Amino acid sequence: MTDTRTLKTDGAISGDDTRLRILSKSDLAGIDITLADVVATVEGAYRTLHAGQSDNPRKLTVKPQDEHSVAYAMLGRDGSRDVVAIKTSYKHGLHVGREEQHYYTTLTLYDDVTGLPVAMMDCSRIGSLRTPAVSALLARECAAPGARSALVIGTGTQGRLALPFLLTTLPGLDRLMVFGTHADGIAAVREQLRTHHPERDVEIVTDVRAAAADADVIVATAGGHTPAAVEAGWLKEGALSILVGHGLAPSTLHRADRVIATSEAQMNVTGTDMADADGELPQVETELPAVIAGLTAGRSCAEERIFAYNSGLVVTDIALGHRFAQLALAQGLGTEVPLWQ
């Protein structure tokens, strides 16, 4: 099949209006990208969003009454790349273990200058990189000065790259801890850390309370069945708690001195499990895009305990997905299908 896509000198991708490039999970797995590149790409997406050049509407959610599955649809536009995209996410089997669940996520990109399709790709690797990159940016902006210790709760997809990304933005961390209940996940955390930082190792902890009391930064990425639930009273002065999945009790949010979110609107939709007895969530002091833009501060003093809510914004997926599409095209990866013929 003839490859109709070309990579232009400005990094844009052009093609025709009848074919769509499909990038599979295996295509994307073979692409080399540094963690610093990922962080810079995600940070740039936040800057463009805050500047009013991008659009990130609230996600749509569908969940049956028995909550055995959940589906999301997210539409957005990246103004710096002139790319429009839609991301879909579907997970089935929420009441069973990870091994029995089905999860599918895709990202479809369109060039908003030429009006032509760019690519449709499996989005699992995009998400596995984007989310810990956002946590790393939150840590860079909100961790107490001189932060030295980090605890990751959970060893699934999001937990496995959390420490390498944290070291990208906080290279001064010298105590790295992880709590997990799956032996293969713990091994994967250790493997990923040594892949990116061969000289480093992670301390496996079993006493979550003691570990949390010693941690300057906590990143909670665990699944809903985790036994971990860090309480506010366990945290040291100046601690930063970042919630990605599960592992933090609601008190860490409601008793925080400062609350930050990637998006307050999304936190109000997807963070309801952290609500108080009246079903309420506290007000967010500021959002990460404004912090990155330098208009607000991530931290106002060294002593405050900060809660940060990390929910995905589709503009970050679009930016990172477009970056992967550029790299894939340069390597001749993917399959073109005559979808509109």
Side-chain angles (χ1 to χ4, degrees):
M1 181 179 295
T2 303
D3 188 341
T4 61
R5 295 291 182 271
T6 58
L7 186 65
K8 297 185 282 189
T9 56
D10 62 357
I13 300 171
S14 66
D16 64 39
D17 60 357
T18 64
R19 297 175 181 273
L20 179 65
R21 174 177 291 269
I22 305 296
L23 296 171
S24 68
K25 181 177 292 189
S26 57
D27 289 328
L28 298 178
I31 294 176
D32 262 341
I33 187 168
T34 67
L35 302 190
D37 190 347
V38 174
V39 170
T41 300
V42 171
E43 181 174 2
Y46 280 130
R47 292 184 184 277
T48 305
L49 177 64
H50 189 269
Q53 299 170 6
S54 296
D55 297 296
N56 194 103
R58 182 178 297 186
K59 68 173 66 174
L60 298 176
T61 307
V62 174
K63 184 182 289 188
Q65 287 188 347
D66 66 0
E67 298 188 347
H68 72 270
S69 69
V70 63
Y72 301 106
M74 293 149 275
L75 175 69
R77 185 181 188 279
D78 184 318
S80 66
R81 294 168 177 81
D82 287 316
V83 172
V84 172
I86 185 165
K87 178 183 177 182
T88 62
S89 176
Y90 171 66
K91 180 177 284 190
H92 181 277
L94 300 184
H95 298 313
V96 299
R98 277 184 309 193
E99 311 79 26
E100 301 174 76
Q101 292 179 353
H102 297 280
Y103 179 56
Y104 309 98
T105 178
T106 61
L107 180 71
T108 306
L109 302 156
Y110 300 89
D111 188 318
D112 200 30
V113 175
T114 65
L116 299 176
V118 174
M120 180 180 185
M121 63 186 67
D122 171 77
C123 204
S124 56
R125 189 176 181 206
I126 305 299
S128 71
L129 293 170
R130 176 261 291 155
T131 302
V134 173
S135 293
L137 287 168
L138 285 165
R140 187 190 73 188
E141 299 295 336
C142 303
R148 305 299 296 269
S149 57
L151 167 65
V152 172
I153 299 173
T155 61
T157 300
Q158 300 304 332
R160 296 177 185 187
L161 277 170
L163 290 172
F165 269 103
L166 284 176
L167 288 171
T168 302
T169 59
L170 292 179
L173 293 173
D174 57 16
R175 186 183 181 195
L176 308 175
M177 298 174 281
V178 66
F179 171 83
T181 58
H182 299 278
D184 58 341
I186 292 171
V189 167
R190 178 166 275 149
E191 178 185 0
Q192 287 290 342
L193 179 60
R194 288 178 174 171
T195 295
H196 296 279
H197 299 276
E199 76 288 358
R200 303 299 301 269
D201 199 1
V202 61
E203 177 184 343
I204 312 304
V205 299
T206 55
D207 187 336
V208 177
R209 180 169 187 163
D214 286 339
D216 295 306
V217 178
I218 300 173
V219 182
T221 73
H225 300 295
T226 181
V230 173
E231 297 284 356
W234 303 357
L235 301 176
K236 67 190 297 186
E237 188 176 79
L240 166 65
S241 302
I242 302 172
L243 184 62
V244 177
H246 298 270
L248 299 178
S251 64
T252 57
L253 167 60
H254 294 276
R255 291 172 55 188
D257 300 311
R258 188 171 179 80
V259 177
I260 293 175
T262 48
S263 165
E264 183 173 17
Q266 285 203 7
M267 176 176 161
N268 288 334
V269 171
T270 60
T272 53
D273 58 323
M274 297 292 282
D276 63 17
D278 297 321
E280 299 293 328
L281 293 171
Q283 184 176 353
V284 171
E285 271 79 15
T286 188
E287 295 180 327
L288 181 58
V291 175
I292 286 177
L295 297 184
T296 58
R299 172 178 289 272
S300 59
C301 70
E303 295 77 24
E304 63 185 353
R305 294 176 177 88
I306 297 177
F307 177 95
Y309 190 81
N310 178 351
S311 59
L313 298 184
V314 74
V315 290
T316 58
D317 294 290
I318 295 171
L320 196 53
H322 189 261
R323 180 76 179 117
F324 268 94
Q326 290 176 321
L327 295 170
L329 182 58
Q331 298 177 39
L333 298 174
T335 303
E336 286 208 329
V337 296
L339 186 63
W340 294 288
Q341 284 186 4

